[in-house]
């Protein structure tokens, strides 16, 4: 029996009927939704992680086979195996994992798959390198690559390095998908834990055109009075006026 079959059997043994019923709705697998057509075994993330860690010595060939599985949890296990491999790995191994990951972004195709892998496999790897790759990903037409770009910056935030988070949020400010708004708001909130004043200033400067979901996520940790102030539209917007550089244009919009 090969390792991929073994992993599939172990995940299936840990599945529950309740999870098989709930997860497709939670991850939006209906027609036209972002997870359309995805299939679930019904295994929890902690159980999937335990299975992945038990098989962290699987080859990248096995991991690649898993990434092309129709089953969500098998793809997640593949990514968690990569994360396990990356821990305490040398730079050569981390480079191989990084490049392998970027070649398979089309299979990292739901928000949990991105969120549980990008900070380690992309962010940690780039922490002492140029971040040009992130800016290319941020401008990608593939939803999941854009999310990888911003979520990967969590690795930088943990080191107190906040600049790329703000720069990539600027790029993604007008993205059309709410999953990107949520991810940006989440990363801004994490950056705000390190430097609340910088986040407050950024939100105050951008609240007029920041998506409301992004704004709400970003300011969750502020005091109620601060949240109220930041959520309130400026007076010139409420009055239907247009702001121009350095002054308010009183022409009706």
């Amino acid at each position: 029996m090969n390792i991929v079959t073994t992993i599939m059997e172990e995940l299936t043994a840990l599945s529950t009927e309740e999870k098989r019923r709930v997860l497709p709705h939670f991850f939006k697998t209906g027609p036209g939704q972002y997870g359309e057509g995805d299939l679930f075994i019904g295994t929890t993330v902690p159980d999937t992680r335990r299975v992945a860690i038990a098989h962290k010595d699987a080859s990248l060939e096995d991991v690649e086979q898993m990434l092309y599985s129709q089953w969500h949890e098998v793809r997640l296990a593949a990514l968690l195996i990569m994360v396990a491999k990356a821990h305490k790995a040398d730079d050569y191994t981390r480079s191989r994992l990084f490049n392998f990951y970027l070649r398979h972004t089309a299979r990292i195709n739901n928000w949990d798959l991105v969120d549980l892998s990008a900070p380690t496999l992309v962010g940690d790897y780039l922490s002492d390198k140029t971040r040009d790759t992130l800016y290319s990903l941020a401008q990608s037409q593939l939803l999941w690559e854009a999310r990888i770009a911003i979520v990967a910056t969590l690795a930088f935030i943990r080191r107190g390095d906040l600049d790329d988070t703000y720069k990539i949020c600027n790029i993604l400010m007008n993205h059309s998908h709410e999953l990107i708004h949520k991810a940006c708001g989440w990363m801004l909130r994490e950056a705000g834990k390190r430097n609340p004043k910088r986040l407050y200033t950024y939100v105050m400067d951008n609240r007029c055109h920041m998506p409301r979901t992004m704004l709400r996520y970003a300011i969750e940790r502020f005091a109620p009075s601060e949240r109220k102030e930041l959520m309130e539209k400026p007076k010139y917007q409420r009055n239907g006026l247009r702001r121009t550089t350095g002054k308010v244009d009183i022409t009706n919009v």
Side-chain angles (χ1 to χ4, degrees), residues 96-190:
R96 285 190 67 206
L97 292 168
F98 170 78
N99 288 309
F100 180 92
Y101 187 87
L102 293 184
R103 289 198 303 271
H104 294 86
T105 51
R107 303 303 301 163
I108 307 168
N109 54 357
N110 215 308
W111 58 264
D112 63 319
L113 304 182
V114 171
D115 297 356
L116 292 170
S117 61
T120 299
L121 296 172
V122 179
D124 281 340
Y125 175 70
L126 294 177
S127 62
D128 58 352
K129 299 174 180 65
T130 180
R131 282 93 185 264
D132 293 350
T133 299
L134 293 186
Y135 292 88
S136 296
L137 291 170
Q139 298 179 70
S140 170
Q141 296 303 304
L142 182 63
L143 170 65
W144 309 116
E145 289 190 342
R147 187 164 176 117
I148 287 168
I150 185 59
V151 173
T153 70
L154 181 59
F156 310 154
I157 294 169
R158 289 167 174 165
R159 294 171 169 83
D161 180 357
L162 311 181
D163 290 350
D164 290 292
T165 298
Y166 286 101
K167 290 176 183 177
I168 291 173
C169 281
N170 287 340
I171 293 171
L172 296 174
M173 189 78 70
N174 297 315
H175 198 283
S176 61
H177 206 289
E178 189 178 54
L179 280 179
I180 301 301
H181 305 165
K182 289 180 177 180
C184 286
W186 170 29
M187 290 303 105
L188 289 172
R189 184 175 71 237
E190 293 301 311

Side-chain angles (χ1 to χ4, degrees), residues 1-10 51-52 54-59 61-63 65-66 74 81 85:
M1 184 182 300
N2 67 42
I3 194 168
V4 177
T5 301
T6 299
I7 290 171
M8 179 70 186
E9 290 185 353
E10 291 180 6
V51 171
H55 297 284
K56 65 181 180 180
D57 293 330
S59 69
E61 289 76 15
D62 291 327
V63 169
Q65 183 181 340
M66 293 169 66
V74 175
I81 287 171
K85 287 178 179 294

Side-chain angles (χ1 to χ4, degrees), residues 192-210:
K193 294 177 183 178
R194 295 283 183 161
N195 188 335
K197 183 176 180 181
R198 182 173 181 179
L199 175 59
Y200 184 92
T201 300
Y202 179 83
V203 172
M204 182 62 76
D205 288 345
N206 289 281
R207 61 183 173 145
C208 297
H209 53 276
M210 185 182 290

